[in-house]
Amino acid sequence: MGINLNPFTWWNGATVGTWFGLRGKTRVGEDSLGNVYYEGGADTAGRPRRWVIYRGANDASRVPPEWFSWLHHHVDDVPDRALPAPRRWEKPAVPNMTGTALAYRPPGALEKGGVRAPATGDYEAWSPEA
């Protein structure tokens, strides 16, 4: 794709119009996935306007939970300063894998061979004559 397609396609990252719109806005941080966050101006409620510029495909599930809370004004300051350190047992956020090779496939799915566990004795099939 590269630089030739980027000015015209919104799904490959920010377009030229987006970059012009971000002039004068403040870059406030970057997450572990490489997404960059900006703030500036005010929305209709008078709160600061906030943006995310995705690294790679534009997919809202690629925004980690801590930055989601910042984008939606659940916290006032950037997550590094506003939120406590992550707990030892917390797993990192994972984007939505639907439609990729890493998507969840339950046992019996055609992509996993189509063989499922047999029904147990407590199952009785319906028949129209019964």
Side-chain angles (χ1 to χ4, degrees):
M1 304 267 180
I3 195 161
N4 293 335
L5 216 54
N6 195 359
F8 309 108
T9 57
W10 59 265
W11 56 88
N12 288 326
T15 61
V16 172
T18 303
W19 288 116
F20 281 125
L22 289 174
R23 286 181 302 158
K25 309 304 187 239
T26 306
R27 179 183 168 147
V28 294
E30 185 174 332
D31 65 20
S32 59
L33 299 173
N35 300 326
V36 182
Y37 299 88
Y38 292 88
E39 184 174 51
D43 65 8
T44 56
R47 298 178 303 187
R49 185 101 192 263
R50 295 174 175 175
W51 292 269
V52 58
I53 302 299
Y54 299 100
R55 180 174 179 222
N58 290 344
D59 180 9
S61 73
R62 295 184 58 225
V63 175
E66 60 272 10
W67 282 101
F68 178 90
S69 63
W70 178 81
L71 280 170
H72 294 273
H73 299 280
H74 296 163
V75 295
D76 292 328
D77 207 356
V78 293
D80 298 339
R81 295 187 296 257
L83 299 176
R87 309 272 185 175
R88 190 170 41 94
W89 44 265
E90 289 183 72
K91 291 183 177 182
V94 178
N96 185 351
M97 295 295 166
T98 302
T100 70
L102 299 174
Y104 171 72
R105 309 261 194 258
L110 294 176
E111 293 86 356
K112 288 189 95 175
V115 179
R116 65 178 184 90
T120 61
D122 63 347
Y123 173 76
E124 189 175 317
W126 175 83
S127 69
E129 292 80 30

